[in-house]
Amino acid sequence: MEAPREPHSVSLKVLRSVIEQYQILSRPSLSQQFPIPLPPKDDNIPIDPNAALDLGPGEIDERFILGPIAGAERHVSSVKIGAEMQAPSGTTPLETMPPEEEEEEEANHQVKPEESVQKIVRFDLREEGNHTLGVNLSYSETTISKDQSASSGRVRTFRKLYQFVARPCLSVRTKVSSVPSGEQENAQSQMVKLALEAQLDNMADGTITLRTVTFSPKPAFRSTSLNWESTDSDGKHGDCPIMAPRDVTQIAFLVEQQKGPEKEVTKDGRTILGQLSIQWRTAMGDAGFLSTGWLTTKRR
């Protein structure tokens, strides 16, 4: 019969942070910032390494900001927190802030009961599907003698897993069509003129505000935006579209061929035009960004 595992002297929570407030395993609400509460004491239970906690959904092209926080139940020292992200394409070690090298002087810092140690990790979501955040924590148990002197004891470690699903925030559908020109213009120039249209669908659960949509053409082309102005004459953000969940917005660009550079053509006869980039903000100020692959004309 397996002996019961001894409870750890440190409990671990992961806080999902967005600008104004931290909130445990959930998105924040609109309120002013308050001191971060310590994890409840009943979290100090034996750790099942195969049990992953739900971190809530995330959107692709969002910057995930997480705050692992270790709360001491007894006197401990040398608390170290490390993290890694397991994405569908592989595992990525995450840099913790502040870095460990900035805390060398505090390597043996005593953490008293009810005190905590916190780190911040960031990860840009790029893939759809299941993700798992692995957080590793190590510490030294400290014994306090009658004369209040501290001595380090055994080193203990454990690991917790937090899972979430990354899903698209914006769905982008593009269409390229020829722009007809007059007979006189055709006679003077054989330059191609195209209309690039895109339909943007808000697939997220919250409202987003589109900030900028830009098209970066290949050297053989130039583009003209037919959309809103991202900034007004005072340099402030202009009348940007606000998209509620499942809302649809249409954008368009006029793409014209230039004299000089040769067009880039794929093996199947498609002309490469350029890339579309979109930036937005959520209701809480999260920045989102998306770039398409190379957009092309139809196959000839």
Side-chain angles (χ1 to χ4, degrees):
M1 182 176 179
E2 183 181 356
R5 281 177 279 185
E6 180 181 350
H8 279 276
S9 301
V10 176
S11 59
L12 177 67
K13 289 286 188 182
V14 168
L15 311 178
R16 185 166 170 177
S17 117
V18 184
I19 297 182
E20 293 188 3
Q21 181 189 8
Y22 290 97
Q23 194 170 13
I24 297 177
L25 301 183
S26 64
R27 287 195 178 273
S29 58
L30 285 168
S31 64
Q32 70 182 79
Q33 184 171 343
F34 292 96
I36 300 173
L38 284 173
K41 291 186 177 181
D42 58 9
D43 184 64
N44 191 16
I45 58 177
I47 304 299
D48 180 0
N50 297 317
L53 303 177
D54 186 13
L55 199 57
E59 276 80 39
I60 297 176
D61 302 306
E62 173 189 27
R63 170 160 287 187
F64 226 47
I65 305 178
L66 304 164
I69 179 172
E73 301 290 343
R74 305 184 186 95
H75 284 85
V76 296
S77 61
S78 302
V79 178
K80 295 184 178 180
I81 300 174
E84 62 183 23
M85 186 67 74
Q86 301 173 12
S89 63
T91 301
T92 304
L94 301 180
E95 181 182 2
T96 57
M97 298 296 293
E100 294 292 344
E101 54 267 21
E102 293 184 8
E103 301 181 353
E104 289 181 356
E105 296 181 358
E106 301 181 4
N108 296 316
H109 174 68
Q110 302 296 320
V111 182
K112 300 177 182 180
E114 306 301 328
E115 291 185 347
S116 62
V117 175
Q118 184 180 351
K119 295 287 187 177
I120 298 294
V121 295
R122 295 175 173 85
F123 182 76
D124 291 333
L125 296 178
R126 287 287 182 267
E127 301 176 77
E128 186 175 357
N130 294 321
H131 290 64
T132 302
L133 172 70
V135 181
N136 303 305
L137 188 145
S138 67
Y139 62 95
S140 295
E141 292 182 332
T142 303
T143 302
I144 305 297
S145 63
K146 293 182 179 180
D147 60 358
Q148 298 301 310
S149 61
S151 59
S152 296
R154 60 176 174 170
V155 176
R156 302 193 66 189
T157 64
F158 67 86
R159 173 182 174 86
K160 266 191 175 183
L161 303 178
Y162 300 85
Q163 65 182 7
F164 62 94
V165 177
R167 58 194 183 188
C169 180
L170 273 183
S171 172
V172 182
R173 303 176 186 178
T174 59
K175 175 186 176 182
V176 178
S177 56
S178 299
V179 176
S181 54
E183 294 183 2
Q184 183 177 0
E185 186 176 352
N186 277 335
Q188 295 177 350
S189 174
Q190 297 296 321
M191 297 294 102
V192 176
K193 187 179 293 187
L194 303 167
L196 170 63
E197 303 171 79
Q199 176 178 299
L200 311 181
D201 296 77
N202 182 9
M203 308 297 291
D205 294 331
T207 300
I208 64 173
T209 301
L210 296 178
R211 286 296 178 87
T212 61
V213 289
T214 57
F215 181 71
S216 301
K218 284 289 190 177
F221 297 92
R222 68 171 181 268
S223 67
T224 303
S225 175
L226 306 178
N227 310 295
W228 66 92
E229 294 292 337
S230 57
T231 57
D232 57 22
S233 57
D234 296 328
K236 299 179 181 180
H237 290 289
D239 189 17
C240 300
I242 298 175
M243 300 178 65
R246 308 301 178 265
D247 274 1
V248 177
T249 296
Q250 302 282 347
I251 61 174
F253 293 86
L254 177 63
V255 182
E256 301 173 275
Q257 185 180 358
Q258 301 186 97
K259 294 182 178 180
E262 293 289 332
K263 295 185 294 183
E264 297 183 32
V265 182
T266 62
K267 294 181 180 180
D268 58 359
R270 300 172 185 262
T271 301
I272 303 175
L273 301 177
Q275 287 182 305
L276 181 64
S277 299
I278 305 164
Q279 295 183 354
W280 65 89
R281 291 274 185 181
T282 68
M284 286 302 300
D286 285 332
F289 45 90
L290 179 152
S291 293
T292 66
W294 293 112
L295 301 179
T296 64
T297 59
K298 295 181 180 180
R299 183 185 306 175
R300 288 186 176 181

